[in-house]
Amino acid sequence: MLRLHFTIDDLADTRLATAPDLALETVLSLRVLDAGANDLRFRQWRRTLQHRWDPHSLLLGDLCAPTVLPAFLTDHIEPDPRATAASATGPDLAHRRAYIEFLAKFRPLTPFARRLADEDLGARALFGRALGGYQATAIDPFRSQIHTLVAADRARTAHSAAAGMQHLFDSLHPCVRWKSPVLEVDVLRPDDVDVHLNGRGLLLQPTVFGSAHPVVAGYNTPDGRPTLCYPIRSQALLGRDDIVPVRGLVPLLGRTRTAVLTAIAERGLHSTGELARHIGCSPAAVSQHTTVLRDSALLRTDRVGQSVRHVLTDLGEALLDANR
């Protein structure tokens, strides 16, 4: 267990990420690829990779273990999709070497991993090609879907934050518990660690490729802001052309009301005006549909100042999940 100790300044500087961290998603996806064969959310994604696979990407498996994340990879991933995906050189060589030495405690090192730790020029070139090819194959084609899923989850979390920090933290994940002024996080490590944030704050980062356990990154860096990475709550299937296949609801609710629920759940659209523009209806028509959905206990409507905010209820989310 990891226990994060907060001060008043830390609470004030706790932020919800505004977009997915694609470098982090790349690293987390390696764990899914290695151990997530039975996770239905990623079955289509895995099948898609089989037809596009860059053989060099197999080398990245040499740098992974079931309970260890190769976080050093994020030092080399280029966030701009128009640029080269990875570089094998830079100021973080010590970070890479330290990780490989740590990896040796969990699995035998392969010749490639040993050569990379020794800064062999050939291994460095293979590393850059493997990581670049993997990101181009496993992440870049799914950027739009990843952004959509993270945006929807962020909208749900932001709504929870309006009820206070206790409700916010408790809504993130079953493995995250707020016991003021300490945030307890069940992570994949056998020992207990206490971390005092000391004014650094905390970044809350929803992840599509997150596993059953959250990950806390950067807590042992004195000057950096730690990041709590937790899996999104959506069960949408990554890799499908229609990220939200809810056609079965159309005969029950009608096309427009189904579109309203879908737009709230997966696109993070909550105001009547946003929904009207997205669906192509007048605000008055959308208001009528949301009234029916609210009377059916599928969504609730909260007033925020002069505007209203439509949010799915647990029943509404369950109905969508059952039809995915």
Side-chain angles (χ1 to χ4, degrees):
M1 177 188 296
L2 202 63
R3 289 186 289 264
L4 303 176
H5 295 257
F6 282 72
T7 65
I8 296 297
D9 291 338
D10 293 316
L11 288 173
D13 201 23
T14 293
R15 297 285 184 269
L16 181 59
T18 58
D21 183 333
L22 292 176
L24 178 66
E25 296 287 3
T26 302
V27 174
L28 292 173
S29 70
L30 288 169
R31 176 183 285 176
V32 171
L33 195 64
D34 181 57
N38 296 323
D39 195 326
L40 295 179
R41 293 174 300 163
F42 305 110
R43 180 171 294 179
Q44 184 62 37
W45 173 75
R46 294 169 66 92
R47 288 175 178 171
T48 302
L49 296 193
Q50 293 175 0
H51 303 291
R52 305 175 180 173
W53 193 251
D54 181 346
H56 292 90
S57 299
L58 294 172
L59 290 171
L60 297 179
D62 293 1
L63 307 176
C64 300
T67 60
V68 182
L69 275 177
F72 79 93
L73 295 183
T74 61
D75 298 334
H76 306 277
I77 294 174
E78 173 57 56
D80 185 348
R82 297 166 298 179
T84 303
S87 170
T89 61
D92 300 294
L93 304 181
H95 189 189
R96 184 167 70 226
R97 184 183 295 112
Y99 168 78
I100 295 175
E101 292 174 356
F102 180 68
L103 178 68
K105 300 178 181 180
F106 297 87
R107 59 166 292 178
L109 294 182
T110 65
F112 169 69
R114 293 183 183 279
R115 289 170 56 203
L116 190 61
D118 293 337
E119 296 304 320
D120 178 85
L121 291 177
R124 284 166 50 182
L126 283 174
F127 168 67
R129 183 168 181 178
L131 185 54
Y134 179 76
Q135 189 184 15
T137 301
I139 300 298
D140 289 350
F142 308 98
R143 285 174 180 265
S144 178
Q145 293 183 3
I146 291 172
H147 275 274
T148 297
L149 292 170
V150 169
D153 195 85
R154 183 186 185 280
R156 296 191 189 104
T157 304
H159 182 77
S160 298
M165 299 303 292
Q166 175 83 48
H167 192 68
L168 167 63
F169 286 134
D170 289 344
S171 70
L172 294 179
H173 192 273
C175 292
V176 178
R177 297 172 298 277
W178 176 247
K179 297 181 179 178
S180 182
V182 177
L183 187 66
E184 297 181 346
V185 185
D186 293 332
V187 294
L188 287 174
R189 57 181 305 155
D191 53 336
D192 291 347
V193 176
D194 286 276
V195 177
H196 293 269
L197 297 178
N198 295 327
R200 289 180 292 168
L202 184 67
L203 179 65
L204 306 177
Q205 178 69 63
T207 60
V208 172
F209 287 100
S211 64
H213 287 265
V215 174
V216 182
Y219 65 86
N220 53 0
T221 304
D223 299 328
R225 174 185 288 177
T227 301
L228 172 59
C229 312
Y230 59 93
I232 62 173
R233 284 161 284 185
S234 173
Q235 295 299 307
L237 308 181
L238 187 68
R240 291 190 59 148
D241 292 335
D242 181 1
I243 195 68
V244 190
V246 291
R247 297 183 185 90
L249 288 181
V250 173
L252 176 66
L253 300 177
R255 185 173 302 278
T256 302
R257 290 171 192 161
T258 300
V260 168
L261 290 181
T262 302
I264 294 173
E266 301 300 337
R267 295 186 178 273
L269 305 179
H270 294 282
S271 73
T272 300
E274 288 175 332
L275 293 170
R277 287 189 293 272
H278 174 68
I279 297 170
C281 293
S282 68
V286 170
S287 182
Q288 291 178 348
H289 288 300
T290 55
T291 297
V292 173
L293 293 171
R294 183 169 58 251
D295 291 344
S296 302
L298 298 178
L299 61 77
R300 71 174 188 271
T301 301
D302 302 327
R303 182 161 294 281
V304 182
Q306 299 298 316
S307 61
V308 296
R309 180 181 176 83
H310 306 292
V311 182
L312 293 189
T313 62
D314 291 342
L315 178 61
E317 291 191 9
L319 185 64
L320 281 178
D321 287 341
N323 282 271
R324 289 191 175 110

